[in-house]
């Protein structure tokens, strides 16, 4: 799979809004879900097909992944983490294609109660990579 620099920035803009204060584990989980969706036949074949408003709230809020405002420092850190994530090759979501923040999904009535959901917390303790 080849990913352009622009697509990497789109991924990191979504990751920053979805899991910026969750630590590296939470951010890697969101990255894993995005890459697993790219590899799946259920979603699209491109980053733009995968990062759609009905699946990622920041895209819904700002209109597109490239329009999500992220500070230069956050984007730079995210791009380095993404490079490390790709290089190391571990799936931060253990093969999942969905994640949820239970406090958000519960309050809006969209909480997933199926088997083996990936739950993102509001904060996860930092790893040595943070």
């Amino acid at each position: 799979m080849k990913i352009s620099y622009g697509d990497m920035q789109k991924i990191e803009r979504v990751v920053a809004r979805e899991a910026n204060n969750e630590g590296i584990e939470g951010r890697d989980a969101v990255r894993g879900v995005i890459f697993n969706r790219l590899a799946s036949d259920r979603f699209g074949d491109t980053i733009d097909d995968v990062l759609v408003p009905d699946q990622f709230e920041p895209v819904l809020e700002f209109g597109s992944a490239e329009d999500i405002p992220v500070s230069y420092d956050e984007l730079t850190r995210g791009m380095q983490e993404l490079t490390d994530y790709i290089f190391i090759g571990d799936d931060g979501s253990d093969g999942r294609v969905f994640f949820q923040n239970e406090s958000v999904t519960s309050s809006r009535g969209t909480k997933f109660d199926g088997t083996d959901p990936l739950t993102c917390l509001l904060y996860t303790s930092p790893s040595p990579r943070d």
Side-chain angles (χ1 to χ4, degrees):
M1 174 185 311
K2 291 183 180 182
I3 299 174
S4 72
Y5 186 79
D7 283 347
M8 289 173 66
Q9 286 187 327
K10 290 175 190 177
I11 291 168
E12 286 312 306
R13 288 178 181 283
V14 170
V15 168
R17 284 294 183 163
E18 291 282 7
N20 198 37
N21 58 347
E22 292 190 29
I24 189 75
E25 294 91 357
R27 292 188 298 272
D28 278 351
V30 175
R31 290 178 185 109
V33 165
I34 292 169
F35 282 108
N36 290 336
R37 287 181 179 201
L38 276 172
S40 171
D41 292 336
R42 294 176 57 193
F43 301 92
D45 293 332
T46 69
I47 293 296
D48 290 330
D49 291 340
V50 169
L51 300 179
V52 294
D54 65 334
Q55 295 291 312
F56 294 92
E57 288 188 32
V59 179
L60 176 63
E61 182 179 351
F62 295 101
S64 72
E66 63 195 348
D67 291 331
I68 298 170
V70 176
S71 75
Y72 175 81
D73 289 342
E74 288 174 324
L75 190 57
T76 300
R77 182 203 64 210
M79 294 293 282
Q80 181 59 55
E81 287 179 2
L82 179 57
T83 302
D84 292 345
Y85 181 84
I86 292 168
F87 181 74
I88 292 168
D90 289 337
D91 180 357
S93 69
D94 295 324
R96 294 175 177 99
V97 292
F98 293 98
F99 66 90
Q100 70 179 345
N101 179 319
E102 288 184 347
S103 67
V104 172
T105 56
S106 292
S107 69
R108 70 173 181 218
T110 59
K111 183 177 179 213
F112 174 75
D113 288 322
T115 59
D116 199 28
L118 176 61
T119 300
C120 293
L121 306 172
L122 292 176
Y123 178 78
T124 308
S125 61
S127 76
R129 283 183 29 201
D130 268 346

